[in-house]
Amino acid sequence: HVQLVESGGASVQAGGSLTLSCAASRAIANMGWFRRAPGKEREGVAAIYTSGGNTYYTDSVKGRFTISQDNAKNTLYLQMNSLKPEDTAMYYCAARASCRLAFRFAPAEYNYWGQGTQVTVS
């Protein structure tokens, strides 16, 4: 079992930046960030493969968000720049045992989830 704890959510003005953190209780490969805006489905935002460090982003955040991880600290990060009001959502980190590339943004593919951290952009 893996416990994930997010932090770093806040209210910011449009154009601002935030860094979200996700502390894992143990090392686990293949993690991602998801978000759920009010009235919308949960969507994948960014994913990373621990082996090789390959990263992937949904189109709406490319060039603005960066996913990274510190393996020594078992911590996942999401650096968010040039934030827009449409980025407002609850952000979740997630971890999976699978490495299927095609399912990197599929919530059902992930085995473990954090409780979420709220990001509000106005």
Side-chain angles (χ1 to χ4, degrees):
H1 184 71
V2 178
Q3 289 183 316
L4 303 173
V5 180
E6 302 98 332
S7 61
S11 295
V12 297
Q13 292 188 336
S17 298
L18 278 177
T19 299
L20 305 183
S21 300
C22 173
S25 58
R26 64 170 175 85
I28 185 166
N30 309 330
M31 300 186 72
W33 286 98
F34 290 75
R35 65 185 180 187
R36 177 180 283 162
K40 294 188 177 181
E41 297 288 323
R42 185 175 302 194
E43 67 165 339
V45 174
I48 188 167
Y49 282 78
T50 300
S51 177
N54 290 345
T55 58
Y56 303 88
Y57 301 92
T58 193
D59 287 345
S60 62
V61 307
K62 283 180 181 176
R64 301 188 298 123
F65 289 12
T66 302
I67 186 173
S68 63
Q69 61 186 156
D70 184 333
N71 294 329
K73 296 181 179 180
N74 294 336
T75 301
L76 182 72
Y77 302 98
L78 185 67
Q79 173 68 44
M80 305 185 293
N81 298 325
S82 302
L83 283 162
K84 304 175 181 180
E86 50 263 44
D87 294 318
T88 294
M90 185 72 78
Y91 283 72
Y92 302 86
C93 73
R96 59 173 177 155
S98 163
C99 60
R100 297 192 293 180
L101 182 61
F103 294 87
R104 61 194 182 278
F105 291 145
E109 187 78 351
Y110 287 75
N111 309 101
Y112 307 103
W113 292 84
Q115 81 290 347
T117 187
Q118 179 68 38
V119 173
T120 302
V121 185
S122 59

